[in-house]
Amino acid sequence: MIEASCHCGAVRMAIDTPPEEVTACDCSICRKLGVLWAYYAPQQVRLTAAPDATLVYLWNRMALEFHTCRTCGCTTHWAHVDRTYHRMAVNARLMEPAVPAATRVRELSNSG
Ligand SMILES: [Zn+2]
């Protein structure tokens, strides 16, 4: 099982399978956050966090929620506003370093 947590531990995620690849996205927000995204179906990710544990920044025509730990400032994941959307992303930098280090990195050029 793969675990990811922010620095202070207020936000934790558990996933049964390691990512097949991680994405380094160069869009306007991702390059500033310095994140590596591991994409999953929302039902694959077990999120443990108090309801108010994260700050939510709505982006991409208000369709995506970028979640950041309110206590330690780590960006933890994004989720679609529409909870039926098939995809979310976990910040792979919150996993044990060996996990993203062993995973192919896809460079995504969005420049948006
Ligand atoms: Zn935290």
Side-chain angles (χ1 to χ4, degrees):
M1 190 180 66
I2 302 296
E3 291 183 308
S5 79
C6 66
H7 192 259
C8 75
V11 182
R12 296 175 182 277
M13 288 167 282
I15 309 130
D16 288 330
T17 52
E20 286 176 14
E21 66 175 17
V22 291
T23 297
C25 175
D26 78 342
C27 83
S28 58
I29 183 166
C30 292
R31 68 172 181 260
K32 293 189 177 187
L33 293 173
V35 295
L36 272 179
W37 295 123
Y39 297 107
Y40 290 100
Q43 57 269 27
Q44 290 179 280
V45 179
R46 295 183 297 280
L47 175 70
T48 306
D52 61 349
T54 58
L55 289 169
V56 174
Y57 178 58
L58 285 169
W59 195 70
N60 197 357
R61 298 184 185 87
M62 311 298 269
L64 297 183
E65 298 175 352
F66 281 71
H67 288 259
T68 296
C69 176
R70 201 181 280 276
T71 303
C72 70
C74 293
T75 297
T76 54
H77 64 289
W78 67 248
H80 204 282
V81 170
D82 176 359
R83 293 294 187 237
T84 64
Y85 191 71
H86 64 284
R87 203 155 79 142
M88 66 171 288
V90 173
N91 183 4
R93 296 214 187 272
L94 274 49
M95 299 173 180
E96 283 296 317
V99 175
T103 308
R104 180 176 71 241
V105 178
R106 182 170 66 122
E107 305 282 341
L108 184 63
S109 187
N110 271 333
S111 52

